[in-house]
Amino acid sequence: HETQPFSRSFAGQDWLFMHNGDLDNRRLAEMHRDKSRFLEPLGTTDSELAFCYLLGKMMETDARKLSDVPNEMLLEWFQGLDALGSADMCISDGVTVACFYGTQSTRSLYYSRLAPPDHPTEFSSETTVLKLTDPRDTFRSCLIVSSAPYDAGAWLPMVPGQLLIARRGTVVWNSHPNTQQ
């Protein structure tokens, strides 16, 4: 409760949500008019309310997973939240992950795709070390989004307002495709 990442079961999936930033809680509450008791936030944070708002939008469209929502529609939902403040957000249904970089963000975001078999197993930045040393990781693809580029891998900066949608470690949609190298 009030600790990220937020998780919630919805439509037969376990969902995760993360948010970095501050949203106008009053305006967000006005947008989230869903009366379902199942989509009420447990805590009082703007982040959890944004999560419930997005799940409410899923319910309105009868979508059961992120891949059921047209990419442009998902981008519009994030843009609506972005208008309320700083909105760096990621949501996942366990198969697909959508990462949005807000236009009012105070930090930069970067992303890198790692693909087997020769991706690095250890990454360092100024503040963290990430190790992918589980033997199963050798054969996994992944997409990493970070507020700081690491010393290994090919890190691309995200553009404010950009939405990346990835499935099983592969970017399947990029709202700013000209930013890929």
Side-chain angles (χ1 to χ4, degrees):
H1 147 84
E2 299 191 5
T3 303
Q4 294 195 48
F6 294 106
S7 89
R8 188 175 284 252
S9 293
F10 175 78
Q13 304 289 330
D14 288 325
W15 294 68
L16 285 176
F17 180 79
M18 295 179 295
H19 169 228
N20 180 36
D22 291 303
L23 301 174
D24 184 328
N25 224 359
R26 182 189 55 76
R27 288 176 52 206
L28 181 55
E30 290 170 5
M31 285 173 53
H32 181 59
R33 298 187 185 274
D34 187 87
K35 301 300 180 200
S36 168
R37 293 181 202 186
F38 299 108
L39 294 179
E40 291 179 8
L42 300 175
T44 60
T45 66
D46 58 335
S47 301
E48 191 175 9
L49 185 55
F51 185 24
C52 291
Y53 167 78
L54 290 171
L55 292 179
K57 297 299 273 180
M58 297 283 297
M59 198 161 75
E60 282 177 17
T61 62
D62 292 326
R64 300 187 59 76
K65 52 191 176 187
L66 282 172
S67 61
D68 292 340
V69 179
N71 301 330
E72 293 81 6
M73 181 181 289
L74 191 56
L75 177 60
E76 287 175 16
W77 296 349
F78 280 113
Q79 289 170 333
L81 293 170
D82 189 46
L84 304 179
S86 180
D88 298 343
M89 301 178 179
C90 291
I91 188 170
S92 177
D93 61 8
V95 175
T96 302
V97 63
C99 293
F100 180 78
Y101 179 37
T103 59
Q104 300 177 58
S105 181
T106 59
R107 304 191 75 156
S108 298
L109 287 183
Y110 304 87
Y111 68 101
S112 183
R113 180 175 185 267
L114 307 177
D118 297 320
H119 63 71
T121 58
E122 188 170 313
F123 303 86
S124 297
S125 74
E126 291 179 13
T127 57
T128 59
V129 174
L130 173 65
K131 293 183 180 185
L132 302 174
T133 56
D134 186 314
R136 295 172 292 187
D137 292 335
T138 303
F139 303 106
R140 293 184 179 155
S141 293
C142 65
L143 178 74
I144 301 173
V145 177
S146 174
S147 58
Y150 286 87
D151 62 349
W155 293 89
L156 300 172
M158 289 185 73
V159 176
Q162 182 175 12
L163 174 63
L164 295 175
I165 300 175
R167 200 166 293 117
R168 300 191 190 325
T170 300
V171 174
V172 295
W173 193 74
N174 180 350
S175 66
H176 290 75
N178 295 333
T179 60
Q180 287 184 338
Q181 296 179 355

